[in-house]
Amino acid sequence: MDELDSAIVRLLQTDARQSNRELARQLGIAPSTCLERVRALTRRGVIRGYHADIDPVALNRGVQAMVSVQVRPLSREVINTFKTSAAEMPEVLSVFVLAGGDDFLLHVAVRDLDHLHAFLLDRLSKRKEIVGFRTSVVFQQVQKAAPSRLP
Amino acid sequence: MDELDSAIVRLLQTDARQSNRELARQLGIAPSTCLERVRALTRRGVIRGYHADIDPVALNRGVQAMVSVQVRPLSREVINTFKTSAAEMPEVLSVFVLAGGDDFLLHVAVRDLDHLHAFLLDRLSKRKEIVGFRTSVVFQQVQKAAPSRLP
DNA sequence: CATGGTGGCGAATTTTATGCCGTTCCAGTC
DNA sequence: GACTGGAACGGCATAAAATTCGCCACCATG
């Protein structure tokens, strides 16, 4: 993971679809070298994949919310069960298992507020292990295009 | 945004680097048709870009936390200022502006707990508009590879 | 029944990926 | 100073892919 690797990763985070030639050109190295570097990064698991970034509205997900959830009892089994169930719900983008006051944080994205309400009442509340949850609607989200490597 | 567009989007979310031919093959359409569809989706802003998914540890970001923040006064100016400042901090992956008890939620990723502590005390606490914040360390994260289009 | 627009198709052309290999450069070692 | 291993380079050949473009089927419309 030298300076060149970092630069490759940075460029691929910004645009994963540029050709190997273009990548090499921007880095000032030979395409063959660049290709081998990218492969090595993939082999080592540094590059885990490539994903398209899609407009949420086109996916009927114009409304986002963060839902913090408390479950009981706090056993490994209950945690795992809830984590898996939550992750399988189509409205849920990601599940965070937390240390602290809340046990989970769910990042959800739905079509509209009606859908959010329905999700909370009809799907989430149905789960017996939940002893409380709190929902915060997301007004805006600023997302970093490419998190850089920290020093 | 017909059924075919949805399928294209789904496949590109899963693997943005597969060739246009492979994409077309999986969809049962001609490569030229597929290319035109992808371009149209890009023109319409449905596809916003392509990003490499990088192992956080390789970026010195093995520890994640969610930090909920309250600021005062709740003016448009203070909100915007804090939002921008937070987004510019390298430790911050994304900033959510929330409705409800908390005003912001920061998703941060740092090298280790020492770094997290330093970030909270030396960078975040320095901001005068903050009247309180609460940090939850992330034990695990389950992230959906490809959020599907909701019905 | 024309007719114009849309979307799709597939052949042709250009560009890229990929593997291979001899050469060069550099750093560390003797 | 000579040697050596590793990394990068650059050229080349082949395969694969991207991109272009003319043509056709379909369909709603007048």
PDB file of all heavy atoms in Angstrom, chain B residues 66-79:
ATOM      1  N   MET B  66     -20.944   6.486  15.056  1.00  0.00           N
ATOM      2  CA  MET B  66     -22.019   7.406  14.705  1.00  0.00           C
ATOM      3  C   MET B  66     -22.067   8.450  15.815  1.00  0.00           C
ATOM      4  O   MET B  66     -22.137   8.109  17.002  1.00  0.00           O
ATOM      5  CB  MET B  66     -23.362   6.681  14.646  1.00  0.00           C
ATOM      6  CG  MET B  66     -23.377   5.420  13.787  1.00  0.00           C
ATOM      7  SD  MET B  66     -23.099   5.666  12.004  1.00  0.00           S
ATOM      8  CE  MET B  66     -24.179   7.013  11.677  1.00  0.00           C
ATOM      9  N   VAL B  67     -22.015   9.706  15.416  1.00  0.00           N
ATOM     10  CA  VAL B  67     -22.016  10.798  16.389  1.00  0.00           C
ATOM     11  C   VAL B  67     -23.231  11.678  16.142  1.00  0.00           C
ATOM     12  O   VAL B  67     -23.347  12.288  15.073  1.00  0.00           O
ATOM     13  CB  VAL B  67     -20.731  11.652  16.274  1.00  0.00           C
ATOM     14  CG1 VAL B  67     -20.711  12.714  17.351  1.00  0.00           C
ATOM     15  CG2 VAL B  67     -19.493  10.779  16.339  1.00  0.00           C
ATOM     16  N   SER B  68     -24.131  11.721  17.114  1.00  0.00           N
ATOM     17  CA  SER B  68     -25.280  12.624  16.966  1.00  0.00           C
ATOM     18  C   SER B  68     -24.947  13.939  17.655  1.00  0.00           C
ATOM     19  O   SER B  68     -24.368  13.952  18.746  1.00  0.00           O
ATOM     20  CB  SER B  68     -26.551  11.998  17.541  1.00  0.00           C
ATOM     21  OG  SER B  68     -26.287  11.353  18.756  1.00  0.00           O
ATOM     22  N   VAL B  69     -25.309  15.012  16.996  1.00  0.00           N
ATOM     23  CA  VAL B  69     -24.859  16.345  17.403  1.00  0.00           C
ATOM     24  C   VAL B  69     -26.044  17.292  17.504  1.00  0.00           C
ATOM     25  O   VAL B  69     -26.943  17.263  16.658  1.00  0.00           O
ATOM     26  CB  VAL B  69     -23.846  16.900  16.372  1.00  0.00           C
ATOM     27  CG1 VAL B  69     -23.389  18.294  16.767  1.00  0.00           C
ATOM     28  CG2 VAL B  69     -22.654  15.971  16.214  1.00  0.00           C
ATOM     29  N   GLN B  70     -26.001  18.092  18.551  1.00  0.00           N
ATOM     30  CA  GLN B  70     -26.976  19.177  18.665  1.00  0.00           C
ATOM     31  C   GLN B  70     -26.256  20.508  18.577  1.00  0.00           C
ATOM     32  O   GLN B  70     -25.230  20.698  19.230  1.00  0.00           O
ATOM     33  CB  GLN B  70     -27.719  19.094  20.007  1.00  0.00           C
ATOM     34  CG  GLN B  70     -28.621  17.865  20.098  1.00  0.00           C
ATOM     35  CD  GLN B  70     -29.468  17.875  21.353  1.00  0.00           C
ATOM     36  OE1 GLN B  70     -28.983  18.209  22.426  1.00  0.00           O
ATOM     37  NE2 GLN B  70     -30.745  17.526  21.216  1.00  0.00           N
ATOM     38  N   VAL B  71     -26.797  21.417  17.789  1.00  0.00           N
ATOM     39  CA  VAL B  71     -26.202  22.745  17.637  1.00  0.00           C
ATOM     40  C   VAL B  71     -27.219  23.807  18.000  1.00  0.00           C
ATOM     41  O   VAL B  71     -28.429  23.565  17.972  1.00  0.00           O
ATOM     42  CB  VAL B  71     -25.703  22.986  16.193  1.00  0.00           C
ATOM     43  CG1 VAL B  71     -24.635  21.980  15.812  1.00  0.00           C
ATOM     44  CG2 VAL B  71     -26.849  22.967  15.219  1.00  0.00           C
ATOM     45  N   ARG B  72     -26.742  24.972  18.350  1.00  0.00           N
ATOM     46  CA  ARG B  72     -27.611  26.125  18.637  1.00  0.00           C
ATOM     47  C   ARG B  72     -26.899  27.392  18.213  1.00  0.00           C
ATOM     48  O   ARG B  72     -25.672  27.466  18.351  1.00  0.00           O
ATOM     49  CB  ARG B  72     -27.947  26.207  20.135  1.00  0.00           C
ATOM     50  CG  ARG B  72     -28.882  25.109  20.655  1.00  0.00           C
ATOM     51  CD  ARG B  72     -30.273  25.226  20.069  1.00  0.00           C
ATOM     52  NE  ARG B  72     -31.162  24.159  20.560  1.00  0.00           N
ATOM     53  CZ  ARG B  72     -31.192  22.908  20.076  1.00  0.00           C
ATOM     54  NH1 ARG B  72     -30.394  22.555  19.083  1.00  0.00           N
ATOM     55  NH2 ARG B  72     -32.029  22.030  20.576  1.00  0.00           N
ATOM     56  N   PRO B  73     -27.573  28.404  17.757  1.00  0.00           N
ATOM     57  CA  PRO B  73     -29.012  28.397  17.514  1.00  0.00           C
ATOM     58  C   PRO B  73     -29.366  27.610  16.259  1.00  0.00           C
ATOM     59  O   PRO B  73     -28.516  27.389  15.399  1.00  0.00           O
ATOM     60  CB  PRO B  73     -29.320  29.883  17.312  1.00  0.00           C
ATOM     61  CG  PRO B  73     -28.050  30.444  16.747  1.00  0.00           C
ATOM     62  CD  PRO B  73     -26.936  29.677  17.386  1.00  0.00           C
ATOM     63  N   LEU B  74     -30.605  27.220  16.136  1.00  0.00           N
ATOM     64  CA  LEU B  74     -31.033  26.443  14.975  1.00  0.00           C
ATOM     65  C   LEU B  74     -31.411  27.355  13.819  1.00  0.00           C
ATOM     66  O   LEU B  74     -32.568  27.423  13.407  1.00  0.00           O
ATOM     67  CB  LEU B  74     -32.219  25.551  15.364  1.00  0.00           C
ATOM     68  CG  LEU B  74     -31.845  24.232  16.022  1.00  0.00           C
ATOM     69  CD1 LEU B  74     -33.081  23.403  16.298  1.00  0.00           C
ATOM     70  CD2 LEU B  74     -30.886  23.471  15.118  1.00  0.00           C
ATOM     71  N   SER B  75     -30.416  28.054  13.321  1.00  0.00           N
ATOM     72  CA  SER B  75     -30.673  28.917  12.178  1.00  0.00           C
ATOM     73  C   SER B  75     -30.158  28.240  10.915  1.00  0.00           C
ATOM     74  O   SER B  75     -29.294  27.355  10.976  1.00  0.00           O
ATOM     75  CB  SER B  75     -29.949  30.253  12.365  1.00  0.00           C
ATOM     76  OG  SER B  75     -28.561  30.026  12.392  1.00  0.00           O
ATOM     77  N   ARG B  76     -30.664  28.696   9.831  1.00  0.00           N
ATOM     78  CA  ARG B  76     -30.214  28.148   8.552  1.00  0.00           C
ATOM     79  C   ARG B  76     -28.707  28.315   8.397  1.00  0.00           C
ATOM     80  O   ARG B  76     -28.007  27.426   7.919  1.00  0.00           O
ATOM     81  CB  ARG B  76     -30.943  28.860   7.413  1.00  0.00           C
ATOM     82  CG  ARG B  76     -30.627  28.328   6.037  1.00  0.00           C
ATOM     83  CD  ARG B  76     -31.423  29.071   4.974  1.00  0.00           C
ATOM     84  NE  ARG B  76     -32.830  28.694   4.935  1.00  0.00           N
ATOM     85  CZ  ARG B  76     -33.304  27.692   4.197  1.00  0.00           C
ATOM     86  NH1 ARG B  76     -32.486  26.976   3.451  1.00  0.00           N
ATOM     87  NH2 ARG B  76     -34.575  27.400   4.196  1.00  0.00           N
ATOM     88  N   GLU B  77     -28.227  29.450   8.870  1.00  0.00           N
ATOM     89  CA  GLU B  77     -26.812  29.735   8.702  1.00  0.00           C
ATOM     90  C   GLU B  77     -25.941  28.770   9.519  1.00  0.00           C
ATOM     91  O   GLU B  77     -24.963  28.219   9.018  1.00  0.00           O
ATOM     92  CB  GLU B  77     -26.533  31.179   9.115  1.00  0.00           C
ATOM     93  CG  GLU B  77     -25.137  31.640   8.741  1.00  0.00           C
ATOM     94  CD  GLU B  77     -24.814  32.984   9.381  1.00  0.00           C
ATOM     95  OE1 GLU B  77     -25.753  33.665   9.851  1.00  0.00           O
ATOM     96  OE2 GLU B  77     -23.610  33.324   9.425  1.00  0.00           O
ATOM     97  N   VAL B  78     -26.329  28.587  10.783  1.00  0.00           N
ATOM     98  CA  VAL B  78     -25.550  27.690  11.640  1.00  0.00           C
ATOM     99  C   VAL B  78     -25.586  26.259  11.097  1.00  0.00           C
ATOM    100  O   VAL B  78     -24.566  25.561  11.054  1.00  0.00           O
ATOM    101  CB  VAL B  78     -26.078  27.745  13.093  1.00  0.00           C
ATOM    102  CG1 VAL B  78     -25.485  26.619  13.930  1.00  0.00           C
ATOM    103  CG2 VAL B  78     -25.743  29.094  13.711  1.00  0.00           C
ATOM    104  N   ILE B  79     -26.757  25.847  10.659  1.00  0.00           N
ATOM    105  CA  ILE B  79     -26.906  24.496  10.105  1.00  0.00           C
ATOM    106  C   ILE B  79     -25.974  24.313   8.908  1.00  0.00           C
ATOM    107  O   ILE B  79     -25.223  23.339   8.816  1.00  0.00           O
ATOM    108  CB  ILE B  79     -28.370  24.257   9.664  1.00  0.00           C
ATOM    109  CG1 ILE B  79     -29.319  24.349  10.855  1.00  0.00           C
ATOM    110  CG2 ILE B  79     -28.490  22.921   8.941  1.00  0.00           C
ATOM    111  CD1 ILE B  79     -29.475  23.100  11.642  1.00  0.00           C
TER     112      ILE B  79
END
